[in-house]
Amino acid sequence: MRKSKALFAASKKVLPGGVDSPVRAFRAVGGDPVFMRSGAGAHLTDADGKSYVDYVLSWGPMILGHAHPAVVRAAERALRKGSSFGAPTEEELRLAEAVRAALPSMERLRFTSSGTEAVMSALRLARAYTGRELIVKFVGGYHGHADSLLVAAGSGATTLGRPDSAGVPAAWAKTTLCLPYNDIPAVREAFRRHGRKIAAVIVEPVAANMGVVAPEPPFLETLRELTKKSKTLLIFDEVITGFRFFYGGAQTGMRITPDLTTLGKIVGGGFPVGCYGGRREVMDLVAPQGPVYQAGTLSGNPVAMAAGLATLDVLRRERPYARMAEMTRVIVTELRGMGRFKGLPLQVNHVASMFTVFFTETHVRDMASAKTSDTKAYARFFHGLLERGVYFPPAQFEAAMLSSAHSTLDLERTLDAAARAIRRL
Ligand SMILES: *Cc1c(COP(=O)(O)O)cnc(C)c1O
């Protein structure tokens, strides 16, 4: 840890909090962050040379593991040809075609440089298309850091939101309604009161940013029905779920068609990317086709496009999904068993290859129940794993994930570390 500690101390003198994205700083679990030097497959090596089995996977993109040879090759080839032209390239056309083939609801789509940008643009588009201003989001849903989305729930479920970050104007936060996830009555009430004013409902079709929480039928079906009735656009934020469960999105498995979808993470193969798209008549409002302005110097960057295309190509050919889900099921079952053995109240939520360990007796189905978790116990569990070379998300309300590179040996190492970490709680 010596090198990491020195790097962090120096970083704090130049970067706020020593990091470029807050969760990396380990504030939620205490201690100093580990600086990573390299990654290969399911493993990371830190600045001091210690190795870890990685369940963070850069928070989602690295579904094939780190430095996958096919992705490295594609990115290298693209890089040699020049890394950015500010002009259209064949790579973005090919990736757009591949995304649309996998997610047919995205009849037209556009690439951006981050998920935040994709979501922000999708909201602007929804407001333009409907001529309305209100947005509905769900408590604990994360959609990037655009102003309209850094909003906390108001005093009642159907009252307008208030800023959840300094610097977000109150007037701006009031354009967002923040409802509890999986709460159908709250959604019905919101639509009764504000339906004709709501431009869009944005939702993670499987929540991953309050920890993993599955939608309980008919939650999403109800969103689809109500939005259709009141001519509101339904936006599935699939930045994390896109290509995570299937070759396609969470929507592929659910047979619900959103009006707009946002993607990011996996479709950039580990490079900065975002993407939004949907019904043609809506997307045709985007400039230069229509009046909704949105642009980006590095949008559709050829290196990111090549890495994304290579990632999708491997996923399409190898279909690692069933194996990843099965391995996750093993981890989850074992963790639950360890909790029972120790007499700990433990909830392990999982959907396919994503899971979250909550230290609570309460079934976790929304942010309120997620918050019943003993986050101090999570912090001790996290450090117990870290010590033994297993890198879990350094915060409770996040998803741990598997890649196609995780092996049964990695699984054994993980479970061994988890057993020791839990025994010591
Ligand atoms: C990560 C994430 C975002 C933001 O993407 P960035 O590339 O970090 O801006 C948006 N929505 C969801 C669901 C995410 O998981």
Side-chain angles (χ1 to χ4, degrees):
M1 301 295 277
R2 257 189 45 234
K3 194 98 191 271
S4 265
K5 272 195 190 313
L7 290 171
F8 190 50
S11 293
K12 281 194 284 195
K13 293 185 182 149
V14 59
L15 302 168
V19 291
D20 281 319
S21 199
V23 74
R24 297 178 193 172
F26 277 29
R27 295 272 173 109
V29 289
D32 284 350
V34 180
F35 276 60
M36 295 303 173
R37 188 170 69 195
S38 62
H43 303 135
L44 290 173
T45 302
D46 74 14
D48 292 281
K50 178 175 171 175
S51 87
Y52 304 84
V53 184
D54 181 22
Y55 290 89
V56 178
L57 300 172
S58 189
W59 303 93
M62 315 314 297
I63 192 167
L64 301 179
H66 300 279
H68 188 286
V71 179
V72 171
R73 234 177 359 253
E76 268 178 0
R77 206 179 304 130
L79 188 53
R80 285 214 181 84
K81 294 194 288 183
S83 58
S84 186
F85 312 116
T89 62
E90 183 170 346
E91 282 82 2
E92 60 197 296
L93 163 66
R94 297 294 168 231
L95 185 57
E97 287 172 340
V99 167
R100 186 176 62 180
L103 286 143
S105 74
M106 300 176 80
E107 294 171 354
R108 294 285 184 277
L109 54 101
R110 173 164 286 175
F111 292 107
T112 61
S113 296
S114 72
T116 294
E117 233 188 298
V119 168
M120 183 183 78
S121 310
L123 294 187
R124 183 182 303 140
L125 175 60
R127 284 168 163 149
Y129 179 78
T130 57
R132 305 170 181 178
E133 290 193 349
L134 289 188
I135 300 292
V136 169
K137 80 174 280 276
F138 295 91
V139 184
Y142 180 68
H143 306 287
H145 62 87
D147 282 347
S148 330
L149 293 165
L150 291 180
V151 171
S155 49
T158 58
T159 52
L160 301 172
R162 58 199 161 75
D164 199 24
S165 159
V168 173
W172 203 225
K174 283 198 185 106
T175 62
T176 304
L177 267 162
C178 216
L179 307 178
Y181 198 78
N182 273 329
D183 190 337
I184 293 173
V187 177
R188 287 200 185 283
E189 176 63 15
F191 269 87
R192 226 178 348 259
R193 302 235 333 233
H194 305 286
R196 303 270 159 222
K197 286 185 277 177
I198 302 173
V201 172
I202 184 161
V203 65
E204 292 178 70
V206 170
N209 288 293
M210 57 182 97
V212 176
V213 172
E216 295 168 3
F219 175 60
L220 296 173
E221 290 80 357
T222 306
L223 295 184
R224 182 64 283 185
E225 175 204 316
L226 292 172
T227 47
K228 193 164 230 163
K229 223 181 276 171
S230 70
K231 297 191 167 27
T232 295
L233 297 188
L234 178 61
I235 306 174
F236 271 10
D237 183 353
E238 299 229 38
V239 170
I240 214 164
T241 56
F243 296 92
R244 164 68 31 201
F245 310 136
F246 310 97
Y247 189 80
Q251 61 190 268
T252 311
M254 291 165 180
R255 297 167 194 274
I256 299 175
T257 310
D259 300 294
L260 295 174
T261 298
T262 52
L263 297 172
K265 297 185 174 138
I266 290 174
V267 292
F271 286 83
V273 88
C275 173
Y276 69 104
R279 270 164 51 201
R280 181 182 163 178
E281 58 161 337
V282 182
M283 287 301 292
D284 277 352
L285 291 186
V286 177
Q289 189 78 14
V292 179
Y293 191 72
Q294 186 267 311
T297 301
L298 292 174
S299 294
N301 174 265
V303 182
M305 297 293 105
L309 207 48
T311 300
L312 295 201
D313 197 48
V314 174
L315 290 172
R316 190 171 43 78
R317 281 186 291 106
E318 297 182 2
R319 305 265 168 175
Y321 295 106
R323 184 176 158 275
M324 286 160 55
E326 175 53 26
M327 288 177 75
T328 307
R329 211 188 49 76
V330 172
I331 296 184
V332 167
T333 308
E334 291 289 326
L335 287 172
R336 284 177 181 153
M338 290 171 200
R340 264 197 307 278
F341 187 73
K342 168 93 183 177
L344 271 179
L346 204 73
Q347 305 282 324
V348 192
N349 279 9
H350 73 116
V351 173
S353 58
M354 301 198 305
F355 65 101
T356 302
V357 182
F358 296 98
F359 292 87
T360 176
E361 273 160 16
T362 311
H363 168 61
V364 176
R365 59 186 295 268
D366 57 13
M367 194 60 199
S369 44
K371 277 187 168 163
T372 65
S373 183
D374 178 353
T375 53
K376 292 208 173 74
Y378 182 84
R380 289 201 300 278
F381 175 62
F382 165 83
H383 280 291
L385 289 173
L386 189 71
E387 221 171 85
R388 294 174 181 85
V390 176
Y391 190 65
F392 260 41
Q396 167 73 79
F397 306 109
E398 301 288 352
M401 288 177 235
L402 266 76
S403 74
S404 62
H406 282 71
S407 67
T408 46
L409 206 67
D410 295 322
L411 216 73
E412 281 166 30
R413 185 168 155 194
T414 303
L415 291 173
D416 187 54
R420 288 160 193 271
I422 285 180
R423 209 173 301 146
R424 252 192 12 193
L425 282 181

